[in-house]
């Protein structure tokens, strides 16, 4: 296949894919794109074979635990969403049991989930005033432009609200055992894009806005502050251009 000479004028990618590719281009291509047909490629199919899905690059999942960990993270997100909506009140074990069963987790995994969530609730609750108004699973489509290129970035912010000090706080949950430096490298661009999206939604400056990865591990929860990146728009567009070239060639 011939590599396109110029990038398209409009591109669209999930924030997670751009961040993962920016952190480790070779690793991302190896894990997500190797062996796949170019995004534009179409082949004849029999009438009883359904058309394949959309062309968006698959979003990478947390993969630091083998087997069911993607489902583990999904179950954990579901419970934390409900806890925030209930202002951190309610029976964590019951929600974890329900979410774990729905996601077909093993009994040992459900017990692990309950333990992690109990500690996470206490920590997260302490960040916000009692009358805080929470926004959970907030979807966005962020439009970025540079020269002749437009990039649409899709994402979903796990949680944001005003903290004890009155600053907006963005929280992104990660059920993981990875060290802080690796998490910052892998998800730094993603969280900076979240910051940019919320800044535009609030029609103001992102200065003073707190952006945190909540790393929820077996040993407890760590809040890792993500530094504000300079030129996040240019970084995202450069990553999208190169990722697009990778996914349109073999």
């Amino acid at each position: 296949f011939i590599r396109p000479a110029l990038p398209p004028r409009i591109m669209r990618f999930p924030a997670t894919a751009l961040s993962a590719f920016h952190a480790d281009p070779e690793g991302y291509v190896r894990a997500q794109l190797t062996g796949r047909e170019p995004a534009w490629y179409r082949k004849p199919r029999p009438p009883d074979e359904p058309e394949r899905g959309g062309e968006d690059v698959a979003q990478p999942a947390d993969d630091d635990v083998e087997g069911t960990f993607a489902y583990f993270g999904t179950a954990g997100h579901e419970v934390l969403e409900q806890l925030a909506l209930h202002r951190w009140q309610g029976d964590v074990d019951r929600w974890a049991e329900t979410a774990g069963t729905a996601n077909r987790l093993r009994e040992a995994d459900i017990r692990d989930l309950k333990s992690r969530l109990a500690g996470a609730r206490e920590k997260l609750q302490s960040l916000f005033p009692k009358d805080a108004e929470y926004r959970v699973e907030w979807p966005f489509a962020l439009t970025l432009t540079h020269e002749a290129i437009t990039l649409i970035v899709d994402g979903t912010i796990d949680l944001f609200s005003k903290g004890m000090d009155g600053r907006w706080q963005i929280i992104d949950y990660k059920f993981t055992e990875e060290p802080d430096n690796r998490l910052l490298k892998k998800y730094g661009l993603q969280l900076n894009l979240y910051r940019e999206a919320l800044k535009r939604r609030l029609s103001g400056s992102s200065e003073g806005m707190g952006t945190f990865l909540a790393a929820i591990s077996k040993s407890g929860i760590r809040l890792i502050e993500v530094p504000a990146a300079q030129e996040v728009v240019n970084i995202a567009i450069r990553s999208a251009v190169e990722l697009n070239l990778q996914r349109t060639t073999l």
Side-chain angles (χ1 to χ4, degrees), residues 220-232:
I221 177 174
R222 308 186 314 279
L223 288 177
I224 308 166
E225 186 160 14
V226 178
Q230 301 296 321
E231 299 186 352
V232 64

Side-chain angles (χ1 to χ4, degrees), residues 76-153:
H77 275 73
E78 291 173 2
V79 176
L80 289 170
E81 175 184 346
Q82 288 304 313
L83 284 171
L85 290 172
H86 285 82
R87 298 184 181 277
W88 310 106
Q89 303 303 307
D91 192 330
V92 174
D93 286 355
R94 282 186 61 189
W95 269 316
E97 192 77 40
T98 299
T101 301
N103 285 278
R104 301 180 180 179
L105 298 186
R106 299 168 299 184
E107 285 300 321
D109 291 328
I110 293 177
R111 289 194 297 271
D112 181 14
L113 183 64
K114 291 176 180 178
S115 176
R116 297 190 193 210
L117 289 170
R121 170 167 69 174
E122 182 177 352
K123 181 66 175 180
L124 292 168
Q125 184 178 18
S126 71
L127 299 177
F128 304 100
K130 291 184 178 180
D131 60 350
E133 295 185 9
Y134 297 104
R135 299 291 184 269
V136 299
E137 295 297 312
W138 184 69
F140 66 83
L142 173 65
T143 300
L144 306 175
T145 58
H146 179 69
E147 296 180 351
I149 296 176
T150 296
L151 170 64
I152 302 172
V153 180

Side-chain angles (χ1 to χ4, degrees), residues 61-73 103-106 108-109 112 116 175-178 218:
D62 291 326
D63 59 357
D64 52 294
V65 176
E66 295 179 358
T68 62
F69 203 71
Y71 299 103
F72 187 100
N103 285 278
R104 301 180 180 179
L105 298 186
R106 299 168 299 184
D109 291 328
D112 181 14
R116 297 190 193 210
F175 287 81
T176 181
E177 304 297 326
E178 291 183 297
K218 286 181 179 292

Side-chain angles (χ1 to χ4, degrees), residues 150-164:
T150 296
L151 170 64
I152 302 172
V153 180
D154 295 299
T156 301
I157 297 177
D158 289 339
L159 173 70
F160 72 87
S161 184
K162 286 188 176 181
M164 291 290 193

